[in-house]
Amino acid sequence: MRKHRLPAGLLLCLALFAAGCSNNAQSVWTPGGPSALALKDLIIWMIVICGFVWLCVMLVLLRALYAPEDPSARQQERARLAISAALAATVLIVAGLTVASFLTTRAISGSKPDMIVEVRGYQWWWQFIYKTGVEFQTANELHIPVGRRIKLVLEGGDVVHSIWIPSLAGKQDLLPGRRNELFIEAEREGTFRGQCAEFCGLQHSHMAFIVLAETPVAFDAWADRQRQARLAPPDQEAAEGEKIFLAKPCAACHTIRGTAAIGANGPDLTHLGGRLTLAAATLPTTRGSLAAWIADPQTIKPGNNMPAVPLSSTELQAVSRYMEGLK
């Protein structure tokens, strides 16, 4: 018995659609804000209209298969009218979709923001600089208050990147030497996933970040904590870990406010232990993940700019304990 198989392209589309629907944190089908909702409505209208056009084309092709080889003058006249109508419909559809796209673009941008965050993309991590009150920065984790319009000022730090938060907004490029803007707003609390959408090198697929939408009260409390210097080491092992961190090359690349570490080549680690993920959403932030990342970052994320720092097992345990306590 002959088995019928679906085309590989159709199977891939179905798999991607199912994956997008199942991952509510990163899906255009589960909008969490007005910009994403406007884009979703535009996509649905485009799919419906293009699907209708495809169906009409298939019906015309089917009709052509049974058309007589020598059509009469009346049939030829009908064909000419049908072609003219199809041409007019094509012009109207293209014009309508263009206008709809233009109106959607205007609806999701341009209004006065409640808060500004500068976003810089590097190979392969994200830097978020908050321009509210006393300036502070985080890495790979963006916190926003629910119900407030946020303007992201985008710039590439090395190569071209592209920011995409499917549940909150569309895509926008981060270009070296040029600033773009993207407006986002969350209507509900939740965790959303963002991703670099422009191929930017070996670890492009491991350049993600987390967006946490919180109540304004919770966000303000979080921002106040972020403005503070690092907490003192909670125990002797963590204190020893801080000494090792400052004595090693780590302090030349990273900043930990409240210490002598003022490096600017890597992410700010002042409150690293309070973040959900590590290495641009590659690993969960646990002591074990921290130890593995510090011991051999090139195995976990080949090609990244963090070198392996030689540490004994005792030193590694102390440094990972110190990193875990930076909350």
Side-chain angles (χ1 to χ4, degrees), residues 273-326:
R275 298 170 192 163
L276 295 178
T277 65
L278 177 68
T282 303
L283 299 169
T285 303
T286 64
R287 186 174 179 181
S289 295
L290 286 164
W293 175 254
I294 296 168
D296 193 357
Q298 295 303 319
T299 295
I300 296 173
K301 202 169 180 178
N304 79 87
N305 292 324
M306 180 172 168
V309 178
L311 295 173
S312 67
S313 60
T314 303
E315 290 175 329
L316 181 60
Q317 291 178 13
V319 172
S320 63
R321 172 62 181 144
Y322 173 56
M323 295 283 105
E324 181 187 34
L326 294 174

Side-chain angles (χ1 to χ4, degrees), residues 7-24 26-30 164 166:
L10 179 57
L11 289 173
L12 177 60
C13 290
L14 291 173
L16 291 175
F17 178 79
C21 291
S22 62
N23 184 6
N24 292 334
Q26 186 178 349
S27 174
V28 296
W29 303 112
T30 55
W164 187 29

Side-chain angles (χ1 to χ4, degrees), residues 9-315:
L10 179 57
L11 289 173
L12 177 60
C13 290
L14 291 173
L16 291 175
F17 178 79
C21 291
S22 62
N23 184 6
N24 292 334
Q26 186 178 349
S27 174
V28 296
W29 303 112
T30 55
S35 295
L37 182 60
L39 291 171
K40 177 187 175 182
D41 292 341
L42 179 63
I43 291 171
I44 290 176
W45 275 110
M46 284 188 170
I47 292 174
V48 170
I49 292 172
C50 292
F52 177 74
V53 170
W54 175 85
L55 180 61
C56 291
V57 171
M58 293 299 103
L59 291 175
V60 170
L61 288 176
L62 184 62
R63 175 68 179 84
L65 292 176
Y66 297 96
E69 296 183 2
D70 186 17
S72 63
R74 185 176 181 181
Q75 290 173 328
Q76 291 181 8
E77 181 63 23
R78 287 180 177 177
R80 280 192 291 269
L81 290 174
I83 293 172
S84 299
L87 179 61
T90 300
V91 172
L92 290 175
I93 289 173
V94 172
L97 292 178
T98 301
V99 171
S101 179
F102 173 76
L103 294 176
T104 301
T105 301
R106 289 194 61 182
I108 64 177
S109 62
S111 61
K112 185 178 179 181
D114 299 307
M115 188 173 70
I116 297 175
V117 180
E118 290 186 0
V119 182
R120 293 174 186 166
Y122 297 93
Q123 291 177 311
W124 291 274
W125 61 282
W126 302 89
Q127 182 184 54
F128 302 108
I129 304 174
Y130 287 77
K131 300 292 186 176
T132 54
V134 178
E135 181 180 301
F136 65 93
Q137 64 174 271
T138 65
N140 304 317
E141 189 168 293
L142 177 64
H143 288 240
I144 60 174
V146 171
R148 294 182 185 174
R149 194 161 180 79
I150 316 299
K151 181 170 79 170
L152 304 181
V153 181
L154 314 172
E155 186 174 3
D158 38 33
V159 300
V160 177
H161 302 278
S162 183
I163 191 170
W164 187 29
I165 315 169
S167 295
L168 294 179
K171 293 183 284 188
Q172 185 62 273
D173 287 346
L174 289 80
L175 306 174
R178 175 180 174 179
R179 292 194 165 192
N180 287 334
E181 295 179 353
L182 180 68
F183 289 81
I184 65 173
E185 180 181 347
E187 294 181 328
R188 56 182 170 84
E189 296 179 62
T191 301
F192 307 96
R193 192 174 187 272
Q195 179 71 47
C196 180
E198 180 76 25
F199 181 73
C200 55
L202 181 63
Q203 292 299 322
H204 160 69
S205 61
H206 290 152
M207 187 177 171
F209 61 97
I210 301 298
V211 180
L212 292 172
E214 306 168 310
T215 64
V217 173
F219 171 81
D220 291 340
W222 172 84
D224 288 340
R225 293 193 300 272
Q226 295 299 307
R227 294 186 181 98
Q228 298 171 9
R230 66 93 173 91
L231 296 175
D235 51 44
Q236 183 59 38
E237 185 180 27
E240 185 63 27
E242 182 175 74
K243 293 178 182 179
I244 296 168
F245 179 90
L246 296 175
K248 296 290 183 177
C250 315
C253 292
H254 297 284
T255 290
I256 298 181
R257 282 177 278 121
T259 72
I262 54 172
N265 294 326
D268 187 312
L269 304 180
T270 305
H271 299 290
L272 171 66
R275 298 170 192 163
L276 295 178
T277 65
L278 177 68
T282 303
L283 299 169
T285 303
T286 64
R287 186 174 179 181
S289 295
L290 286 164
W293 175 254
I294 296 168
D296 193 357
Q298 295 303 319
T299 295
I300 296 173
K301 202 169 180 178
N304 79 87
N305 292 324
M306 180 172 168
V309 178
L311 295 173
S312 67
S313 60
T314 303
E315 290 175 329

